[in-house]
Amino acid sequence: MIVVQSIETRSLKKIYNSNTIAVNDISFSVEEGEIFGFLGPNGAGKSTTMMILTTLLKPTSGSAFVAGFDVATEPKKVRQRIGYVQQEITIDEYLSGRENLLLHARLNHIPKDQMRGRIDELLELVELKEKQDDAAITYSGGMRKRLEIAGGLLHRPKVLFLDEPTVGLDIQTRQKIWEYIKKIHTEYKMTIFLTTHYMEEADRLCDRIGIIDNGKIQAIDTPKNLKNALGSGIITLLIENKIAAAGLVSAIRKIEFVRDVTEHDGKITVFSSKGAEVAPMIFSLSTELGVTIQSISITEPTLDDVFISYTGRDLRDGNSSSYDQKKEHRKMKGIRA
Ligand SMILES: Nc1ncnc2c1ncn2[C@@H]1O[C@H](COP(=O)(O)OP(=O)(O)OP(=O)(O)O)[C@@H](O)[C@H]1O
Ligand SMILES: [Mg+2]
């Protein structure tokens, strides 16, 4: 089977104002037909990467290819083959939904005899047919985003770029947008490259995920493999006497199947390859050491756990104080970074 790469970057780097390294030597590829997600906190370098891939920004060094063309030397060919839905809403609020799409179609040189058909088809797809003649100013946030996505699809791109397609929307609207993205993918079978802050979004939509932080790709794989790499059960226990935590933590670290242990304020989290076998061992250890366990639970790893394990922080808290510490710890444990 021949695997065609829709997107490829080679040692891509972007330095703003000669001092901010936004994208730091990243190399990755996305196969044709994949939904690929770029997951990372604020300022990670997601939009910068996307702007380079969509030809809006020149890289400082390295190269990038989209739909088979070099973004630096053949930007026009790239532009003809991609759709780009920006992070910010760009529709004209004073035009109706249909008028917005007409304008978009004209700007993209869609043949006149095909305009009407394509607009009808897309309004149907994003369920805006009934509202097509209302001014976009009357649309909700979710409806505006759906209109933007329809606009990005008018010229039938081979690769669709969605920068934070659901940021700022409520959970129900977010889920609706996810449905549309899935539907678009099934219908048009194009490659989709999206960036997101939302773990759930990445988990549900993406075939593969790249975790980006500080301009570097920290991990890249399918959501399933990323979660499996953390083990088969994360054990969380709360202990009564916090002072005794350190002793218990170092004892747990010595258990054969344990990969990593973190402790914060009496809450101990154990990453292991065999959760069900490790839990009883933790019980015996705590009895031996005279530590009382208040509660214990075993959960399957989520992408949140994956993100924390690679970056040392929660995607939402934006706190980098534990970042270096955590990375150091990973290095010591020999976990790939
Ligand atoms: N035009 C610019 N000039 C200077 N620095 C910039 C510019 N655009 C972005 N940056 C910086 O580059 C880094 C990466 O920014 P980028 O917008 O790519 O991140 P992001 O992952 O998209 O973040 P967000 O989640 O907030 O959208 C940040 O440190 C940001 O401050
Ligand atoms: Mg961004």
Side-chain angles (χ1 to χ4, degrees):
M1 194 179 75
I2 302 167
V3 176
V4 183
Q5 307 295 357
S6 261
I7 300 172
E8 195 184 344
T9 70
R10 295 181 195 156
S11 304
L12 200 65
K13 199 167 196 169
K14 178 69 191 177
I15 305 174
Y16 288 111
N17 313 325
S18 67
N19 57 9
T20 308
I21 308 174
V23 172
N24 194 358
D25 199 3
I26 61 173
S27 303
F28 70 94
S29 54
V30 179
E31 286 171 23
E32 200 171 86
E34 258 192 311
I35 303 187
F36 184 87
F38 234 24
L39 192 68
N42 289 126
K46 304 183 296 293
S47 292
T48 301
T49 306
M50 195 173 270
M51 280 160 76
I52 294 171
L53 295 176
T54 53
T55 78
L56 296 175
L57 202 62
K58 288 238 175 298
T60 308
S61 60
S63 51
F65 301 84
V66 174
F69 296 98
D70 188 326
V71 295
T73 57
E74 298 188 280
K76 207 169 161 204
K77 289 202 170 124
V78 170
R79 263 179 245 140
Q80 284 163 351
R81 288 163 178 82
I82 62 168
Y84 174 40
V85 181
Q86 280 175 252
Q87 191 163 349
E88 297 80 27
I89 298 271
T90 57
I91 53 171
D92 188 326
E93 292 186 320
Y94 295 98
L95 295 180
S96 70
R98 187 172 193 93
E99 285 165 344
N100 264 291
L101 291 185
L102 265 170
L103 183 67
H104 217 68
R106 289 208 187 101
L107 290 174
N108 280 290
H109 310 292
I110 310 278
K112 252 199 165 132
D113 58 334
Q114 291 180 28
M115 259 187 213
R116 210 192 153 95
R118 288 202 197 177
I119 291 174
D120 284 339
E121 178 187 315
L122 287 168
L123 283 168
E124 188 91 50
L125 185 89
V126 299
E127 292 178 30
L128 283 176
K129 204 139 206 185
E130 277 174 27
K131 297 268 185 188
Q132 61 175 308
D133 295 320
D134 294 359
I137 200 163
T138 65
Y139 289 11
S140 67
M143 287 162 73
R144 285 170 198 221
K145 204 73 205 182
R146 270 144 61 189
L147 185 61
E148 295 258 351
I149 294 174
L153 289 170
L154 268 172
H155 59 296
R156 308 231 166 112
K158 279 179 168 306
V159 189
L160 179 65
F161 290 90
L162 301 170
D163 199 357
E164 303 274 358
T166 61
V167 76
L169 301 174
D170 62 69
I171 182 69
Q172 283 89 349
T173 314
R174 268 188 354 232
Q175 286 178 352
K176 265 272 172 212
I177 300 272
W178 299 345
E179 274 175 39
Y180 292 118
I181 295 173
K182 280 255 180 218
K183 210 159 108 183
I184 287 162
H185 187 249
T186 315
E187 207 123 313
Y188 299 109
K189 312 215 171 356
M190 81 269 277
T191 309
I192 299 182
F193 182 98
L194 61 90
T195 69
T196 184
H197 274 82
Y198 301 112
M199 302 288 177
E200 206 193 339
E201 180 162 300
D203 204 358
R204 284 222 206 158
L205 286 178
C206 301
D207 299 313
R208 279 190 315 135
I209 290 169
I211 294 178
I212 181 167
D213 196 16
N214 293 327
K216 283 228 175 257
I217 293 185
Q218 309 289 338
I220 189 163
D221 214 329
T222 62
K224 193 162 169 248
N225 286 348
L226 287 170
K227 287 184 277 188
N228 285 349
L230 285 191
S232 68
I234 295 178
I235 305 164
T236 310
L237 55 143
L238 276 178
I239 58 168
E240 219 168 66
N241 181 1
K242 289 170 198 163
I243 299 160
L248 184 58
V249 166
S250 58
I252 294 172
R253 282 219 169 99
K254 293 190 186 112
I255 299 175
E256 192 187 344
F257 306 112
V258 171
R259 294 180 173 179
D260 200 3
V261 189
T262 61
E263 190 272 326
H264 183 69
D265 206 22
K267 183 180 160 192
I268 299 173
T269 309
V270 183
F271 299 94
S272 76
S273 54
K274 292 188 178 171
E277 288 180 36
V278 170
M281 295 184 203
I282 293 176
F283 269 121
S284 329
L285 281 175
S286 61
T287 312
E288 264 172 45
L289 296 169
V291 180
T292 311
I293 293 177
Q294 275 180 327
S295 70
I296 185 162
S297 63
I298 306 181
T299 49
E300 285 311 307
T302 63
L303 266 190
D304 266 302
D305 299 315
V306 172
F307 193 84
I308 292 168
S309 116
Y310 279 103
T311 68
R313 59 187 152 144
D314 196 304
L315 193 49
R316 277 171 292 275
D317 66 16
N319 164 25
S320 60
S321 62
S322 62
Y323 176 75
D324 294 331
Q325 210 182 325
K326 181 73 194 180
K327 281 218 112 166
E328 210 39 55
H329 178 58
R330 293 186 64 82
K331 240 188 259 161
M332 272 159 41
K333 296 279 294 183
I335 303 171
R336 83 195 153 106

